[in-house]
Amino acid sequence: FISVKLCTFNNNRKDTMRLKNPSRNEAVIYQYIIMFSTFTRNFGSALTAENIQLMSVKFSTFNHNSRYAMLFKKSRGSQIEIHRCRIMNNNYIKTLKGTVSFSGTWARRAVIHSSYFANNSASHGGGGIFFGNLRRVSVHNCIFTSNKVDAGGGAIKFKKANGIHVSHSVFKANIADERGGALRMIWSTSGDIKIELCKFYRNEAVEGGAIYSAEISRPVFLLSCVFRQNIAREQGAVIVYNSIR
């Protein structure tokens, strides 16, 4: 068990905090909690977690870090929660996916709740968040504004993520240079995709100004959402949907 509370991490070089459960001890349940802490202007990733089972990041701020704000990897079967965090102005070195990145995790569940993502940028997939290889994803009561990505998913990219639920969230002025100004979803093969009670304002992409989905074999439900002034430079100002043939 590791608990980090009321700490400030500023101007540190190389990855600031790295948490790793050794592979030989994967049967042991390690729990990590970070609360009321600030990560500012660190060179490299602010937080990297590998092979973890349970992790909560709450009431914390990640501002002006040069790589990932949070990177979760190789955490098969894990449960990860991000609650009431502020992730802002993180500008990434090329080739990185997402401000907050779940990369090759096969996590059991990831929950992002009541958090704020603003003015972040990434090169590949997900200016705000990249979800890769997750069994269940929930994004609730969050705000994504002015995030940018060189590829797809100005706010969030879902890749091989199943059981996606996005609710009560606002996506405003996010930009993708390719597809999905706010959301991009690809290769989801199990679990429904539900987007409800969300607002999409002035998001922009080449295709799918608000939402772009491709190679999806499950239903996509849009429920009680509002779409205003979204822009697609080629097609689908609101949504482009390409299912698996």
Side-chain angles (χ1 to χ4, degrees):
F1 178 86
I2 295 176
S3 177
V4 178
K5 296 183 180 180
L6 297 169
C7 292
T8 299
F9 303 86
N10 180 253
N11 281 315
N12 296 288
R13 295 280 171 174
K14 204 59 176 173
D15 295 345
T16 300
M17 181 179 290
R18 186 176 183 88
L19 306 173
K20 184 177 180 180
N21 175 19
S23 58
R24 64 180 179 274
N25 292 328
E26 284 183 351
V28 179
I29 302 298
Y30 288 87
Q31 184 176 6
Y32 302 93
I33 299 175
I34 297 173
M35 297 180 66
F36 302 107
S37 294
T38 302
F39 297 77
T40 306
R41 298 187 184 280
N42 296 289
F43 183 82
S45 299
L47 169 64
T48 301
E50 183 175 350
N51 286 332
I52 53 98
Q53 283 84 26
L54 298 172
M55 183 158 197
S56 295
V57 184
K58 300 181 178 181
F59 305 101
S60 295
T61 298
F62 297 79
N63 190 18
H64 282 291
N65 299 288
S66 69
R67 283 189 98 221
Y68 297 105
M70 291 176 256
L71 171 61
F72 304 98
K73 59 182 182 177
K74 297 180 181 178
S75 297
R76 184 178 294 272
S78 63
Q79 297 186 61
I80 300 166
E81 176 190 16
I82 297 172
H83 180 69
R84 292 192 179 276
C85 289
R86 295 171 62 84
I87 297 97
M88 306 172 295
N89 307 306
N90 298 283
N91 298 302
Y92 297 106
I93 297 169
K94 295 295 182 181
T95 76
L96 298 186
K97 298 178 180 179
T99 305
V100 174
S101 183
F102 296 80
S103 181
T105 58
W106 289 114
R108 182 181 305 163
R109 187 179 185 189
V111 178
I112 316 296
H113 190 284
S114 301
S115 293
Y116 178 72
F117 293 76
N119 300 308
N120 302 290
S121 62
S123 293
H124 297 286
I129 309 174
F130 172 77
F131 290 109
N133 300 327
L134 276 91
R135 298 176 189 172
R136 187 176 177 188
V137 178
S138 177
V139 177
H140 177 73
N141 194 37
C142 293
I143 296 174
F144 296 82
T145 181
S146 301
N147 300 287
K148 187 177 185 298
V149 68
D150 293 344
I156 306 175
K157 181 177 180 179
F158 302 92
K159 181 178 181 181
K160 295 183 181 179
N162 301 307
I164 297 168
H165 187 201
V166 182
S167 63
H168 297 83
S169 295
V170 176
F171 299 87
K172 181 179 179 181
N174 301 287
I175 298 174
D177 285 348
E178 294 180 4
R179 296 162 176 163
L183 306 179
R184 184 179 184 184
M185 299 170 287
I186 59 173
W187 302 336
S188 180
T189 57
S190 66
D192 294 343
I193 298 169
K194 184 182 293 186
I195 301 169
E196 60 179 331
L197 295 164
C198 291
K199 298 177 180 179
F200 295 82
Y201 301 140
R202 300 199 305 275
N203 301 286
E204 183 177 350
V206 174
E207 297 181 86
I211 302 171
Y212 182 93
S213 63
E215 301 297 316
I216 303 294
S217 64
R218 301 297 300 169
V220 176
F221 297 95
L222 300 179
L223 306 172
S224 301
C225 293
V226 176
F227 298 88
R228 292 180 182 168
Q229 298 179 324
N230 297 285
I231 299 171
R233 293 189 289 277
E234 291 186 5
Q235 62 177 338
V238 171
I239 185 170
V240 171
Y241 176 80
N242 295 317
S243 63
I244 294 176
R245 295 179 180 178

